[in-house]
Amino acid sequence: MQATERTDPRDVKRRQRAAQAAVLQPVSSRLRLASAMVAVASLCAVAPFILVVEVCRELLTASPDWTKVWTLVFVALGILGLRGLLQSGAVLWSHLIDSEHQDTLRRGLAEKLSRVPLGWFTERSSGDVKKLLRNDVDALHYLVAHARLDVVAALTAPLATFGYLLVVDWRLSLVLLVPVALYGVVLSRIMGPGHTDRMTTYEAWQTRVSETTIEFVDGIQVVRAFGQPRKGHRRYQDAVDGYGSFFRAWVTPITRLEGIGGQLLNPVVVLVLVLLAALGLVEAGAMDPVSVVPFVLLGLGVGSIVLALGYGAQALRQASTASMRLWELSQTPELVEPEGGPRPRVGVVRFESVSFGYRAGRPVLHDVDLELRPGTITALVGPSGSGKSTLARLLLRFYDVTEGRITVDGHDVRDLRATDLYRSVGFVLQDVQLVAGSVRENLLLARPGASEADLERVCRAAQIHERIVDLPRGYDSEVGQDARLSGGEAQRLSIARALLADTPVLVLDEATAFADPESEAAIQDALAALVADRTVLVIAHRLHTIVDVDQVVVLDDGHVVEHGPPAALRSAGGLFSRLWAANERALADIGDDAPTTPGPTNPEGHA
Ligand code: ATP
């Protein structure tokens, strides 16, 4: 697997830095203060060693001044205590800042999610949204609570140490720098050219493995039922093998280099190096033996501080990608919601010269003109990918049109408040959405003030009342807990909800496409109640279900290529008649005695 797109690593870094700065902006001034505390704490960590060196110097004189020695020891202890206070105070404070920041961020994200177009959600799985809200916000913990403080500590302490050692003996200080410089060379080999691409490929393999794992687990029953466990296993196995080979090829040389780097900064290696150089200098009479002491005491710690910086790098990288994703979400354009506005009640829908493309991609709909009148059913048909769902979703304002406009009772949908739009335009989609909560709560989403009698009436009409009262707690049963509904039952519950909403306009995505025959019959009856006297737009995937609709609109590659009553289009010799013939052949092949006369009173066909 290759990284699909080559991105300029500098550009990625620039964008990550900008994203980090934007995400951290609300806490940056407080983090600066906490960092200052850590900087002072790091200086306080070095100072006692310097004082101990002075103590050693004093003790090595012919007649040590004990008052001076004890004063130095007590001052060193005092500074150590101050260091402890400052360090723990800064870490505690940065964690408090982090928890407040996470709270604000999560609230902000929840608000943002309530304003992004509904289409944003159809493009993502609930797992993706959870990852943003939970994992990505969690990943920022290192960035806020640790990263800056660690970097400040890791820079201040060695710099202060090195500055002091330079004053003591600049030649030995340079010797101390040798392993650090060599480690820098090794690190640059590890992080060398192509590192960003390899990281992208690594992430692509990780995604591939998790996708095939889900596929494998989801399909395991079917695959085993057909006695081919190896087949379902293969894609997963291939992904795991591919990931393993890539990982080995990438990481083996890195591990070797890391081993070498670690050895270079090993305190024993540094000690041996410093002592060898010091012995040479002392023997040559170029250095006072006492001056070796600070190098032994202080110099050895330099390596471990540099290594500690490297260990935080992985957490920092995760935090960077997380802040990038969060920043991208914050930049997602929001639907502009008018302050007030009319609430359409009649339900005349017009698409006027509507064109649309997803983001910067190619246009998906071209110059569509369409009128949907109250009391009529319009079926949208066309080959897969022709733009049926997109057209229907524009009416639901999952996205805003690129050109033209869509009106309901003469009002542009962009001028309607979301609540007014969804009180006028209802929808039942294939992908039934029931929220966590009781059956009653799910129904009341459509009309919070609805009475018990209303609930029962719509549930009876949707052929689901009997099933609900059979549930352990009836209407109070919790969806997914004691209300375990089949796909068809969930679909009928969503139809009951749409009935309760009582909107003049209704969009139906073929609601029975995946239902079993028994559910399909019940859903047909439920839909018959639903469509009466409304303006109905149906996305029809199965043509035998739409023979009696009022109008068929045929889409091909985003263009309306035909429209009119189904009977007329069947004999017109155009795309519809070809699709119809194909549908007939398919039905004959599977020996399906499918219904042929659904009409406004038996409208499953439309759905
Ligand atoms: P089907 O019958 O298979 O459901 P459709 O006629 O409903 O197809 P649409 O789902 O509207 O077609 O898709 C129309 C075109 O828009 C397709 O080329 C599809 O790949 C593209 N498309 C759909 N959704 C998105 C999206 N969220 N982002 C980018 N392109 C999209």
Side-chain angles (χ1 to χ4, degrees), residues 86-101:
L86 283 170
Q87 180 71 27
S88 49
V91 170
L92 178 67
W93 195 26
S94 73
H95 278 77
L96 290 177
I97 296 172
D98 175 54
S99 87
E100 189 197 308
H101 181 243

Side-chain angles (χ1 to χ4, degrees), residues 109 209 240 260 401 420 430 460:
L109 287 173
V209 168
V240 172
I260 296 171
V401 297
D420 292 323
Q430 270 179 14
R460 280 189 189 282

Side-chain angles (χ1 to χ4, degrees), residues 203 239 534 594:
E203 280 171 7
R534 298 175 207 273

